[in-house]
Amino acid sequence: MSVIYVLIIVVANIITAMFPPIIVSNLIIPCGSFLVGITFFMRDFIQLKIGKVNVYKLIVLAAGISGLVSICLGDVWIVALASVISFFVSEALDTELFTRLKLSLKKRIMISGLVGGTLDSAIFVVIALSPIGTNILPWESVPYAILGQTLVKCVMQFVALPLINRLK
């Protein structure tokens, strides 16, 4: 499952680079966001299997690979850096919330994933796409890009919910 987790991250980067974002009303949704939502869900199950210390090692490995893939795909350094930072911070927060919440497995997965997915979107968009980074998006569009990515990541986690009983 760890290899699949890393592969999904790589494929999400490739899809995001290859296809233009989906625009729904004012929402801006990179195509790779559909897969990123699944990584939060998967990371929780991997943590149950290999433990928190080992999942942090996997997160560091996956963040590094994500940055390398971003550079290989021709992204400018700020986009690659934003990818690494947003991935590491959001996955680490997801890990800590999942570990510390004293709730049912489903609730821990959903809450940690929703918070992690939101943070991932906000950090990446602000660092990489806003006027702070590449200036691809004006400040007026930044909230729509964050919201679009976050919604898709959350929906993907809800779609994956039926897998919880199978993956225990």
Side-chain angles (χ1 to χ4, degrees), residues 1-3 5-6 9 43 46-47 50 52-65 87:
M1 188 178 259
S2 297
V3 172
Y5 170 79
V6 173
I9 294 160
R43 199 225 33 82
I46 292 168
Q47 181 179 340
I50 67 173
K52 187 167 114 173
V53 171
N54 288 325
V55 91
Y56 268 111
K57 292 175 186 174
L58 183 62
I59 290 169
V60 169
L61 173 69
I65 290 171
F87 178 82

Side-chain angles (χ1 to χ4, degrees), residues 39-76:
T39 65
F40 292 101
F41 185 87
M42 288 185 71
R43 199 225 33 82
D44 294 332
F45 282 101
I46 292 168
Q47 181 179 340
L48 290 173
K49 300 280 187 214
I50 67 173
K52 187 167 114 173
V53 171
N54 288 325
V55 91
Y56 268 111
K57 292 175 186 174
L58 183 62
I59 290 169
V60 169
L61 173 69
I65 290 171
S66 176
L68 287 174
V69 167
S70 186
I71 290 168
C72 289
L73 292 170
D75 289 334
V76 295

Side-chain angles (χ1 to χ4, degrees), residues 30-167:
C31 294
S33 296
F34 291 91
L35 292 176
V36 173
I38 295 170
T39 65
F40 292 101
F41 185 87
M42 288 185 71
R43 199 225 33 82
D44 294 332
F45 282 101
I46 292 168
Q47 181 179 340
L48 290 173
K49 300 280 187 214
I50 67 173
K52 187 167 114 173
V53 171
N54 288 325
V55 91
Y56 268 111
K57 292 175 186 174
L58 183 62
I59 290 169
V60 169
L61 173 69
I65 290 171
S66 176
L68 287 174
V69 167
S70 186
I71 290 168
C72 289
L73 292 170
D75 289 334
V76 295
W77 71 270
I78 193 74
V79 171
L81 180 63
S83 178
V84 170
I85 292 170
S86 64
F87 178 82
F88 180 79
V89 170
S90 63
E91 292 282 340
L93 179 64
D94 184 295
T95 299
E96 292 304 319
L97 283 173
F98 180 77
T99 300
R100 296 167 193 251
L101 290 173
K102 304 299 179 210
L103 302 168
S104 70
L105 180 61
K106 276 186 181 179
K107 287 180 182 175
R108 289 181 358 193
I109 288 171
M110 293 311 298
I111 292 170
S112 65
L114 294 174
V115 173
T118 302
L119 190 61
D120 181 63
S121 300
I123 291 171
F124 181 78
V125 170
V126 170
I127 293 174
L129 306 178
S130 77
I132 290 173
T134 59
N135 202 23
I136 290 172
L137 296 176
W139 283 117
E140 305 82 55
S141 298
V142 166
Y144 297 108
I146 293 169
L147 183 59
Q149 288 185 36
T150 300
L151 287 174
V152 167
K153 291 170 188 173
C154 294
V155 166
M156 293 308 294
Q157 289 179 51
F158 281 106
V159 168
L161 261 181
L163 295 175
I164 290 175
N165 294 329
R166 291 191 180 136
L167 294 174

